[in-house]
Amino acid sequence: MIDTLDFTAIPEEDEALRGPVRSFLEETVMDLPADRRARSWMGFDADFSKALAQRGWLGLTLPREYGGAELGPFARFVISEELLASGAPVSAHWIADRQSGPLILKYGTEEQKHFYLPRISRAEAFFCIGMSEPGSGSDLASIRSRATRTDNGWLLNGSKIWTTNAQHSHYMIALVRTSGEPQDRYKGLSQIIVDLSLPGVTIRPIEDMSGDAHFSEVFFDNVECPAEALIGEEGNGWAQVNAELAFERSGPERLYSSMVLVESWLRHCRDNVSNESVRQETMGHVVSWLAVLRSLSVALTAKLVRGESPAIEASLVKDMGTEIEQAIPRWIGDVLGAEPQLAASAELRRTVSYLEQLAPSFSLRGGTREIMRGIIARGLKLR
């Protein structure tokens, strides 16, 4: 069942992080054009990630013995919110910091923790997620990629698709079959860490309609992975990946993909007087949606603080969050189109154009809308 999400305030000690982070972003990000900042957590910049690491702003929730800051999910929420609202290029470290690190911390061996977690905290190890496969879409239980046990470890064959930043990453955490057949569904699935520099790994970027190449196909042809590549228990991959997805679906990144556009449009409105009622109505939609969804996301963070895994609640917030993310470019585009006498700047037009092209993917990444609503329906005992 879905539990109640209680109104939650971010603790003062975590809110105190906003000032230093905003000062840093003013120096490093805010002078960049809006259409570049609109890429935000799809924007790859390893040097920026290392600058964050040098200030102790990566690995925030990881223990100090593994190179982390040993703070908590609220601290990470505050920093994530500031990074995304400013349009900082965070994708180099994003997956490793958000979910790969916590997954390894929860299920990994001591050797894995001591090897990977300090590197994640120093922005020296970037991760991608190997879940979706050709012909499977969001139906992860139909996975066909297989890791076969050998005398020296695992022999991996198969492929993954829609893998964000695979071409830039050092490692992939892949969900694969280690026993059984695809018709066995959730049984026999395991997670392994794949070093993407190993022989037999081929990565082919996929260019999207905006001209970017965030996604890739990844092929495994007799890739020899060591025995210690397995994370957690063999055959427990389904439970582990659901715990991992709770981290992916509960954060502010499901709300703020269009925030740079909102900022740019507000600047345009201040510089050009026009039909204020239409503008106010549109901004009212944006603010009312974001205020409620942000409160829900903060409440989810409180559950993570308590050690809970709010997979169903996270699916609800993710589904609604991506709806407003997709709506914002359309709403603002409609207002601009209704004001032909006011020429929007080239920068604002580029930002609207980019996000209108990218917006359809917002409800795909992290699980499609249909998958989210299926999880919610099961949580409500409706199916």
Side-chain angles (χ1 to χ4, degrees), residues 290-303:
L290 288 178
V292 173
L293 288 168
R294 181 183 183 274
S295 293
L296 291 171
S297 191
V298 172
L300 280 175
T301 303
K303 284 183 171 287

Side-chain angles (χ1 to χ4, degrees), residues 6-238:
D6 299 322
F7 183 79
T8 305
I10 296 175
E12 290 184 7
E13 60 269 24
D14 297 313
E15 280 287 351
L17 291 166
R18 289 193 193 275
V21 175
R22 286 184 181 180
S23 297
F24 168 74
L25 293 172
E26 285 287 342
E27 297 173 1
T28 57
V29 172
M30 297 308 293
D31 287 339
L32 297 173
D35 54 308
R36 181 174 171 186
R37 290 189 291 117
R39 282 152 169 81
S40 195
W41 65 283
M42 303 299 279
F44 186 94
D45 188 334
D47 290 337
F48 179 83
S49 296
K50 289 177 181 176
L52 289 178
Q54 290 167 1
R55 288 161 176 77
W57 294 336
L58 294 189
L60 284 169
T61 63
L62 301 177
R64 288 191 179 89
E65 66 177 302
Y66 303 125
E70 205 166 313
L71 293 175
F74 280 126
R76 189 182 183 282
F77 185 97
V78 168
I79 290 181
S80 296
E81 190 170 45
E82 292 299 321
L83 292 172
L84 295 170
S86 70
V90 298
S91 76
H93 67 267
W94 200 252
I95 289 170
D97 182 67
R98 177 183 67 188
Q99 61 199 96
S100 302
L103 179 80
I104 293 170
L105 178 65
K106 184 172 183 178
Y107 295 106
T109 64
E110 281 302 311
E111 291 77 11
Q112 289 171 334
K113 294 173 188 178
H114 282 286
F115 181 83
Y116 293 108
L117 299 186
R119 288 168 170 80
I120 289 173
S121 299
R122 296 194 300 263
E124 295 174 357
F126 302 145
F127 279 71
C128 60
I129 305 167
M131 293 187 187
S132 297
E133 294 191 355
S136 296
S138 293
D139 184 12
L140 298 183
S142 66
I143 278 174
R144 297 178 180 275
S145 293
R146 183 175 294 274
T148 305
R149 190 183 290 275
T150 67
D151 292 340
N152 299 318
W154 303 92
L155 189 66
L156 176 60
N157 284 281
S159 64
K160 297 292 178 179
I161 197 168
W162 312 124
T163 307
T164 301
N165 277 340
Q167 71 271 37
H168 299 305
S169 297
H170 303 102
Y171 304 99
M172 172 192 286
I173 295 184
L175 184 66
V176 300
R177 290 208 171 273
T178 49
S179 64
E181 300 297 330
Q183 56 266 32
D184 294 326
R185 305 292 290 167
Y186 310 110
K187 298 178 182 178
L189 295 175
S190 304
Q191 287 183 300
I192 63 171
I193 301 177
V194 183
D195 182 338
L196 295 176
S197 68
L198 288 173
V201 177
T202 301
I203 300 173
R204 297 178 185 167
I206 302 170
E207 185 173 307
D208 62 29
M209 65 187 298
S210 70
D212 289 334
H214 304 125
F215 302 118
S216 290
E217 293 180 278
V218 184
F219 301 89
F220 309 112
D221 183 11
N222 289 326
V223 179
E224 297 181 4
C225 300
E228 57 269 23
L230 180 72
I231 300 180
E233 299 179 16
E234 182 180 353
N236 194 46
W238 185 251

